[in-house]
Amino acid sequence: MENFDLDYALKQFPDVLKAVPMTLLVATVSLLLGFVFGLLISLCRTYKVPVLSQLGALYVSFIRGTPMLVQIYVIFFGTPMLIDYLNKQFGWGLNPYGISPLVYALLAFTVNTSAYQSETIRSALQSTEAGQMEAALSIGMTVRQALFRIIAPQAFLIALPVYGNLFIGLIKGTSLAFAVKVIEIMATTRIIAGGDYRFLEMYIDAAIVYWVLCFLVERLFVLLEKRFSRHEKVMP
C-alpha cells in the first residue's frame, strides 16, 4: 500500500463523477426502451400469439444465453453491414458509418434488457389471479381494459423489486459501453489511469461511484415499493 496515492485518487474523483450523467443516460433510456419491447414480447408469449410467441421465446433464449459483450460487438459491427444491405436492396442513401457510438450502446443494452424484462413482466402477469381476467370479461370489459385496469397494476407491484435489480445491473453493465467508445464511468477511469499508470486509485474511485449510484437506486425502489403498496391490507 506504500505506492497507493490517496491524494491522487481524491484529486481525480471529480473527473470520474463527470461521467455519471452518461452512465445514467445509457442505463435509463435502455431500461425504458427495453420495457416497451419486453412488454410486447411478454404479451405475445403470455397469450400464445401464433408465430410471435415462438419467435419471442427464441429471442429471449438467445439473448440470455450469450454474453453482453458479444452482443455489443455483434450490433457494433453488424449494424453498418445491415444498413449497407438495406441501401442496396431498397435504394436508400443511409450513411452506416456516421452513427454515434451512443446509439450503438443504447441499441445493445436495449436488446439485452428487453429479453430480461420480458421474463420479469411475464412472470408478474402469470402471478396474478387467473380468474380476474375471466371476471372482468364477464362484466363487459374488453381484454385490453381488463389488462390495463386490473392485471397491470398488480403485476407492476410484483415486478417492481425485480426492476430495481435490473436497473442496478444496467448501471454496472454500462462499463462495457467503452467497447464501442462511449465515455462513461469506466471509460473515464481507464483514460485517466492510462495517463499516470495509477490504475488502482482510479478503479477504487470507479468502485465508489458505482456503489453510491447502486445504493441510491436501491433506496429509490424501496421507497417506490412502499408508496405503491400502501393500499394493500396488512395481514394480522
Side-chain angles (χ1 to χ4, degrees):
M1 295 299 292
E2 293 179 357
N3 294 326
F4 182 82
D5 192 341
L6 179 60
D7 290 336
Y8 180 86
L10 294 175
K11 180 182 178 181
Q12 301 297 336
F13 196 79
D15 289 332
V16 179
L17 288 177
K18 292 178 182 178
V20 169
M22 179 59 71
T23 294
L24 291 179
L25 174 65
V26 174
T28 304
V29 173
S30 299
L31 186 74
L32 295 176
L33 293 177
F35 171 77
V36 176
F37 293 110
L39 177 62
L40 294 176
I41 295 170
S42 64
L43 291 176
C44 289
R45 298 188 65 191
T46 299
Y47 294 104
K48 309 297 183 183
V49 179
V51 182
L52 294 180
S53 177
Q54 289 78 7
L55 290 176
L58 178 63
Y59 171 80
V60 171
S61 176
F62 177 80
I63 295 300
R64 295 175 67 186
T66 54
M68 178 68 205
L69 187 58
V70 173
Q71 297 167 21
I72 291 174
Y73 282 135
V74 167
I75 289 174
F76 182 71
F77 292 107
T79 301
M81 297 176 63
L82 176 61
I83 294 176
D84 274 336
Y85 174 78
L86 294 176
N87 284 340
K88 294 177 181 178
Q89 291 294 117
F90 301 101
W92 296 348
L94 301 176
N95 179 14
Y97 305 105
I99 301 175
S100 168
L102 178 60
V103 174
Y104 287 118
L106 291 175
L107 181 59
F109 282 98
T110 297
V111 166
N112 180 269
T113 189
S114 63
Y116 289 93
Q117 289 193 56
S118 71
E119 289 297 280
T120 299
I121 297 170
R122 189 167 70 95
S123 298
L125 290 173
Q126 291 178 344
S127 65
T128 59
E129 188 65 37
Q132 294 182 81
M133 177 63 76
E134 297 176 2
L137 296 177
S138 68
I139 62 174
M141 281 189 176
T142 64
V143 173
R144 180 178 178 181
Q145 289 174 330
L147 183 63
F148 286 98
R149 294 182 183 181
I150 298 175
I151 306 299
Q154 299 176 65
F156 170 76
L157 187 58
I158 295 170
L160 194 56
V162 182
Y163 263 87
N165 292 331
L166 286 174
F167 193 35
I168 288 174
L170 275 174
I171 290 175
K172 293 185 292 185
T174 55
S175 59
L176 297 175
F178 185 48
V180 290
K181 304 177 183 178
V182 174
I183 309 301
E184 38 65 61
I185 293 174
M186 200 62 190
T188 301
T189 299
R190 291 177 180 176
I191 291 171
I192 296 174
D196 298 309
Y197 296 98
R198 290 287 181 179
F199 290 95
L200 178 58
E201 289 87 345
M202 296 312 304
Y203 287 148
I204 289 177
D205 280 353
I208 292 173
V209 173
Y210 279 120
W211 173 66
V212 171
L213 284 177
C214 293
F215 176 78
L216 293 176
V217 169
E218 179 186 350
R219 298 313 304 168
L220 173 62
F221 274 85
V222 168
L223 292 174
L224 288 174
E225 188 177 356
K226 289 181 179 179
R227 177 182 177 85
F228 288 108
S229 61
R230 286 183 305 178
H231 66 280
E232 292 190 337
K233 295 181 180 181
V234 179
M235 299 299 294

